[in-house]
C-alpha cells in the first residue's frame, strides 16, 4: 500500500479527523491520550518513546486528539508498532484502522511486531497479524522477606558502562533485530545487573523509572535460572516500591518467584507479528520486555 493512497482526512462519528505526522511539540497531545485510555505512561515515558519513533496523530477541527499510532524502526528490515490509542468515545469507529494503514504503508517491506490488548486484537488480526505468544504483566509493591532460592551457573554483578557493546549483541540475538538506538536510550536512564561467564556478559537485566514506579526490562538470559538470578538483586533493592515486569515466560516456577516478591498477575497482552518470526531460537531469550511498545 502506498502512503499517497490513504486519505489524510476521515469522518469519525460527528467529526472530520485529520491525520498528521507526530511533531516534537505533541508531547501533551500524546500524553493526553494515554490518560484517556488509562495507560500508566508519565510525560517522561512518552518523551522517551517520541525520541525513538515516528507516527501520526488524528485530530478534529478544533484540535481535539482522537487517536495516535507510532512505529519504531530497528535495523533496516524490522519495526515495532505501538502507542496505538483511540479516545474511548470513538473506539470501534475506524480511527485506529485508518492510522494503522498509514503505518503499514510507511513500514512496507519490514517484518513487524506488536503487543495487542484484548480490545485491539481483532483490529490487528484483520490487518494480517498472527499471534505469537502471551505477554504476562506482573506488578506490585515489592515485599520484604526472603525470595525463593535462586541457583544459576553464572555469578551476577552490577552493570558497568563497559558492558554495553556486549549487551547490545546479546539483545540482538534474543530480540531478533538490531535496536542500538533503543538500548542506548535505555542505558542512559537505567541501572542493571549482568550475568558473567568466563569474564564476559552472558545475560542482563535493566531497571528504570516508568509509570507508577519502575519497570524491569529488558531481561535477556540463557534460561529461567539466569533470569531469576538477574532479577533478584533488583527486587531486593526496591522493597516497598512499585515494580513491574512484562514477561514472555509462563513457567510456574518463575511466576512463584514473582509472586513471592509481590509482583502479582495484572493483565496479559498478545504478541503478534506480520512477516517472519524474529528471535527466540538462539542461545539467549527475552524474559522481560523493555516496554510493550518497544518489545
Amino acid at each position: 500500500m502506498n502512503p499517497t493512497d490513504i486519505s489524510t482526512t476521515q469522518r469519525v462519528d460527528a467529526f472530520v479527523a485529520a491525520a498528521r505526522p507526530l511533531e516534537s511539540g505533541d508531547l501533551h497531545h500524546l500524553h493526553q491520550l494515554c490518560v484517556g485510555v488509562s495507560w500508566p505512561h508519565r510525560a517522561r515515558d512518552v518523551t522517551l518513546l517520541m525520541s525513538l519513533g515516528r507516527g501520526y496523530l488524528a485530530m478534529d477541527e478544533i484540535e481535539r486528539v482522537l487517536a495516535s499510532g507510532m512505529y519504531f524502526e530497528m535495523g533496516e528490515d524490522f519495526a515495532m508498532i505501538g502507542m496505538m490509542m483511540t479516545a474511548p468515545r470513538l473506539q470501534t469507529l475506524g480511527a485506529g484502522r485508518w492510522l494503522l494503514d498509514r503505518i503499514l504503508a510507511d513500514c512496507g517491506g519490514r517484518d513487524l511486531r506488536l503487543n495487542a490488548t484484548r480490545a485491539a486484537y481483532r483490529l490487528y488480526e484483520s490487518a494480517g497479524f498472527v499471534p505469537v505468544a502471551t505477554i504476562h504483566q506482573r506488578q506490585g509493591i515489592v515485599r520484604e522477606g526472603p525470595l525463593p532460592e535462586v541457583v544459576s551457573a553464572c555469578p551476577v554483578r552490577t552493570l558497568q558502562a563497559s558492558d554495553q557493546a556486549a549487551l547490545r549483541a546479546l539483545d540482538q540475538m534474543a530480540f531478533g533485530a538490531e535496536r542500538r538506538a533503543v538500548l542506548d536510550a535505555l542505558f542512559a536512564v537505567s541501572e542493571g545487573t549482568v550475568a558473567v561467564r568466563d569474564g564476559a556478559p552472558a545475560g542482563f537485566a535493566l531497571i528504570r523509572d516508568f509509570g507508577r514506579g519502575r519497570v524491569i526490562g529488558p531481561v535477556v538470559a540463557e534460561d529461567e535460572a539466569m533470569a531469576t538470578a538477574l532479577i533478584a538483586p533488583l527486587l531486593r533493592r526496591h522493597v516497598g516500591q512499585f515494580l513491574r515486569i512484562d514477561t514472555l515466560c509462563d513457567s510456574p516456577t518463575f511466576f512463584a518467584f514473582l509472586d513471592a516478591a509481590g509482583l502479582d498477575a495484572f493483565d496479559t497482552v498478545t504478541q503478534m507479528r506480520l512477516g517472519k518470526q524474529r528471535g527466540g531460537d538462539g542461545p539467549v531469550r527475552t524474559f522481560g520486555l523493555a516496554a510493550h511498545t518497544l518489545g
Side-chain angles (χ1 to χ4, degrees), residues 191 207-210 213-216 238 241-244:
E191 54 191 297
I207 186 169
R208 71 183 190 281
D209 293 340
F210 177 82
R214 310 200 85 192
V215 63
I216 298 173
H238 292 84
Q241 299 181 44
F242 182 89
L243 293 190
R244 167 177 170 172

Side-chain angles (χ1 to χ4, degrees), residues 7-33 50 55-69 85-87 89-90 94-96 98-99 102:
S7 172
T8 58
T9 62
Q10 174 167 307
R11 180 163 292 278
V12 181
D13 195 22
F15 314 103
V16 174
R20 62 166 176 78
L22 272 170
E23 300 171 352
S24 59
D26 285 325
L27 171 62
H28 171 72
H29 290 138
L30 206 52
H31 187 243
Q32 178 184 337
L33 267 178
M50 289 181 67
Y56 296 95
L57 278 181
M59 305 181 73
D60 67 13
E61 304 99 314
I62 57 173
E63 293 290 291
R64 288 182 297 187
V65 186
L66 307 180
S68 70
M85 298 179 284
T86 303
R89 70 184 187 282
L90 302 175
W98 179 41
L99 293 187
R102 298 190 68 85

Side-chain angles (χ1 to χ4, degrees), residues 53-137:
R54 292 187 274 179
Y56 296 95
L57 278 181
M59 305 181 73
D60 67 13
E61 304 99 314
I62 57 173
E63 293 290 291
R64 288 182 297 187
V65 186
L66 307 180
S68 70
M70 293 186 70
Y71 60 98
F72 302 83
E73 296 167 316
M74 301 176 188
E76 296 186 354
D77 59 356
F78 181 83
M80 286 288 303
I81 294 177
M83 298 300 281
M84 296 290 299
M85 298 179 284
T86 303
R89 70 184 187 282
L90 302 175
Q91 289 173 1
T92 76
L93 296 179
R97 181 56 189 260
W98 179 41
L99 293 187
L100 178 61
D101 285 343
R102 298 190 68 85
I103 289 171
L104 293 179
D106 286 356
C107 293
R110 291 177 180 267
D111 293 327
L112 302 173
R113 187 187 302 167
L114 55 79
N115 293 306
T117 62
R118 293 179 185 85
Y121 182 90
R122 288 187 179 179
L123 165 66
Y124 300 128
E125 186 179 45
S126 72
F129 285 84
V130 296
V132 174
T134 299
I135 306 294
H136 301 267
Q137 182 178 336

